[in-house]
Amino acid sequence: MPISQEEADARLKARKPVPKPKPAYLPVSGSPLTVDKELYNSIAAAPRVLLQEFVLPIRSGKAWKAPAGSIVRISTPEGAQVGDLNIWNAHNPRERFWAARTKQLHASHVSTHDRLWSCLPYMRPLATIVGDSLAWYGADEHGGRVHDLLGTGCDGYIASVLSPSSTGNGGYDFHCRSNLARAVLPHGLHEADVHDVLNVFQVTGLDAQGRYFMSPCPAREGDYFEVLAEQDLLMALSTCPGGDLSLWGFGADSEKEMIKCCRPLKVEVFKLEDEGLLQRSGWKPAEPAPYNGLHGMTVPEGESK
């Protein structure tokens, strides 16, 4: 039986003041959450050699590899555009980016010196953010922040649920999940390997009722987001069909309208010109979490006697 409104009101009135909370995961000296800012800033500023580059057209997806120690730059060559990013260990796609844990360990929106963590049982940094031209954005007047981990990518499934009229001819096939699913096929992966994304350049937040909102992307021509690959990585990016999100909506009419605010994204992968810099600095790929994963269980060798 639900409680009465009278009882609910009484309990709310009697609720004791809640102390100001503090973050659940605070970095301390020597913690993997504590990035050596001097080191990572020097890596970001060091001379680079371009390994590969490409421009990702609107409403499309592409996957690429980035070796450990390389720097990956995602930029907005023609202005505001949101990108949905997935990351895997290049040698083991079961190890992939874990948006929820990254959000717990750092923040709901990430920036320079935050790390992008992998899932269990690996639990180690896949990449560390070393550059962000939108780091100045902070929190806007509505509480919105940039580079979102609160939400996830758009997909045809939720679109068909919320806008059944959009399912004509099978539905729209160029949401971010679809773009990422196509992008990873040449690398032996499929849709089940696509996971919750980092929404690069995307401004989001929660309103006064705790509801998710999205605001127009603040990026201008030439803005960028850079990460240092902490492992050999496979990465995939979608140019969101919502473009800069200034015309966001569901349904076929919205899909046609949103193309007006869609722009390409550019990806560049660099290696450091001084290839010994990382080794001399003591940097090395992180090891998986040392927990043995037995969960309190033992496995007998054979029949007990």
Side-chain angles (χ1 to χ4, degrees), residues 65-76:
K65 289 187 177 180
S70 64
I71 293 175
V72 178
R73 170 184 279 226
I74 300 171
S75 61
T76 53

Side-chain angles (χ1 to χ4, degrees), residues 21-26:
K22 62 180 181 179
Y25 298 90
L26 284 174

